[in-house]
C-alpha cells in the first residue's frame, strides 16, 4: 500500500487516542471495557485505510470492531475516515499483528477478518503470511468457540496456500468461494483492495473457516 509522508502523524494519533488506542497490550482481556459495553468484538488484521471496518460497523451496530494496522500513515487515513463516519463501535490499533496473544486474551474475539493480506510469494517468506500455521495458533487462542475466520483475497496462490494451511491445521472450511462477486451477497462489504482489483476484472476469493473445539 502506498504511504504518504505525514510528519504530523504522531501528533494526530495522540490527539485521537480515544480511537487509536496506544499501549494496546495494557488492555488485554479488557477490550469491552474500552468500548464501554459488552458487545462482541470482531477484529480485522491489516485493516488498511478502514473502508471495510467502517462498512461493517455501519452494517452491524451490535458488534464492536477493532482494526490493526502496522503502517502509521495508513492508520492515519483510517482514523480520519472513522472520525468522519461518526461511528462509536470502531477502535484502531497501530500495532504489528505478529503476536495478537499479547493484545487479546483467550476467547476475547468473536470474528476475525483477513482481507487482501500481503501474499509474500517467496517460499523463504512463508512464515510472514497471515495464514501460516503460527498465525493460526494465535487466532485459535483469541477467537471464542463460535468465532469465524473470514479470508478474502484476489491472489490465487495465497488463496490455495491458505486453504491447505487451514485444512492441515484442522480448521473446518464452511465456505470456499472462487468468485465472490458472481454471487449476490448483499452483506459483503468491499475493502479498498477489493474495489481496486475487482474493477480491473480480477476474481475475488473468499473462505470462511472455524476452529473445531
Ligand atoms: N485490508 C485492506 C484492504 O483489503 O484494502 C488493506 C490490504 S493491504 C494489501 C495489507 C495491509 O496489511 C497493509 O496496510 C499493511 O500495512 C498491513 N499489514 C501487513 N502486515 C501487518 C502486520 N503484521 N500487522 C498489522 N498490519 C499489517
Amino acid at each position: 500500500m502506498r504511504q504518504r509522508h505525514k510528519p504530523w502523524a504522531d501528533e494526530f494519533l495522540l490527539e485521537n487516542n480515544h480511537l487509536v488506542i496506544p499501549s494496546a497490550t495494557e488492555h488485554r482481556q479488557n477490550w469491552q471495557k474500552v468500548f464501554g459495553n459488552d458487545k462482541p468484538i470482531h477484529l480485522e488484521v491489516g485493516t488498511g485505510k478502514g473502508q471495510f471496518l467502517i462498512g461493517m460497523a455501519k452494517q452491524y451496530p451490535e458488534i464492536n470492531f477493532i482494526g490493526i494496522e502496522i503502517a502509521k500513515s495508513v492508520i492515519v487515513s483510517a482514523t480520519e475516515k472513522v472520525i468522519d463516519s461518526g461511528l462509536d463501535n470502531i477502535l484502531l490499533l497501530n500495532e504489528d499483528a505478529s503476536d495478537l496473544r499479547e493484545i487479546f486474551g483467550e476467547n476475547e474475539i468473536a470474528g476475525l477478518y483477513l482481507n487482501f493480506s500481503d501474499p509474500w510469494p517467496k517460499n523463504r517468506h512463508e512464515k510472514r503470511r497471515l495464514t501460516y500455521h503460527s498465525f493460526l495458533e494465535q487466532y485459535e487462542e483469541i477467537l471464542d468457540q463460535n468465532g469465524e475466520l473470514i479470508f478474502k483475497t484476489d491472489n490465487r496462490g495465497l488463496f490455495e496456500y491458505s486453504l491447505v494451511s487451514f485444512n492441515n491445521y484442522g480448521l473446518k472450511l464452511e465456505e470456499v468461494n472462487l468468485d465472490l462477486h458472481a454471487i449476490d451477497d448483499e452483506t459483503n462489504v468491499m475493502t479498498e483492495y477489493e474495489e481496486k482489483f475487482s474493477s480491473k476484472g480480477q476474481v475475488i476469493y473468499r473462505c470462511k473457516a472455524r476452529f473445531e473445539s
Side-chain angles (χ1 to χ4, degrees):
M1 179 171 285
R2 192 167 163 266
Q3 294 177 28
R4 283 180 286 156
H5 181 59
K6 292 181 177 174
W8 45 272
D10 286 329
E11 202 179 320
F12 176 80
L13 294 179
L14 198 62
E15 277 166 17
N16 290 289
N17 63 8
H18 58 294
L19 278 182
V20 189
I21 307 297
S23 311
T25 52
E26 288 174 12
H27 303 288
R28 187 177 181 276
Q29 206 82 67
N30 272 312
W31 285 103
Q32 284 178 324
K33 278 199 186 134
V34 182
F35 278 101
N37 60 52
D38 59 1
K39 296 175 186 176
I41 298 171
H42 286 199
L43 174 69
E44 186 189 13
V45 181
T47 208
K49 294 183 180 172
Q51 175 172 311
F52 173 80
L53 212 61
I54 290 167
M56 291 293 282
K58 271 187 197 152
Q59 192 163 298
Y60 301 103
E62 71 283 8
I63 296 173
N64 292 321
F65 290 88
I66 296 180
I68 295 199
E69 171 54 53
I70 196 170
K72 193 176 284 180
S73 64
V74 176
I75 206 143
V76 164
S77 300
T79 308
E80 289 168 337
K81 284 192 193 156
V82 173
I83 294 169
D84 289 347
S85 76
L87 292 161
D88 63 1
N89 57 336
I90 300 179
L91 293 176
L92 298 169
L93 307 178
N94 184 205
E95 302 280 350
D96 183 346
S98 59
D99 199 348
L100 294 168
R101 289 170 294 202
E102 290 179 359
I103 301 176
F104 302 102
E106 272 180 47
N107 305 320
E108 196 167 13
I109 298 300
L112 195 146
Y113 306 93
L114 302 174
N115 290 321
F116 298 82
S117 308
D118 298 326
W120 296 107
K122 292 184 179 153
N123 284 343
R124 70 173 190 273
H125 292 147
E126 181 189 8
K127 290 181 182 169
R128 299 185 191 178
R129 297 176 197 150
L130 293 182
T131 52
Y132 183 64
H133 71 80
S134 62
F135 281 98
L136 301 183
E137 280 167 24
Q138 300 180 41
Y139 307 152
E140 183 176 26
E141 196 166 313
I142 66 170
L143 269 173
D144 73 22
Q145 284 190 341
N146 297 315
E148 205 174 27
L149 172 62
I150 302 179
F151 171 56
K152 291 197 284 189
T153 184
D154 65 304
N155 188 301
R156 176 98 192 183
L158 180 65
F159 194 66
E160 288 174 355
Y161 169 85
S162 303
L163 291 179
V164 173
S165 182
F166 294 164
N167 184 57
N168 288 347
Y169 194 86
L171 275 148
K172 184 176 172 217
L173 301 180
E174 301 202 325
E175 178 197 80
V176 176
N177 192 317
L178 299 178
D179 188 357
L180 175 60
H181 293 183
I183 62 164
D184 194 18
D185 181 354
E186 285 175 7
T187 63
N188 182 48
V189 173
M190 291 230 262
T191 80
E192 278 105 358
Y193 272 62
E194 185 170 355
E195 269 189 7
K196 188 168 95 178
F197 291 126
S198 61
S199 72
K200 290 180 183 167
Q202 282 180 237
V203 163
I204 305 299
Y205 306 99
R206 183 174 70 188
C207 170
K208 295 184 180 183
R210 246 180 243 280
F211 293 93
E212 293 199 287
S213 44

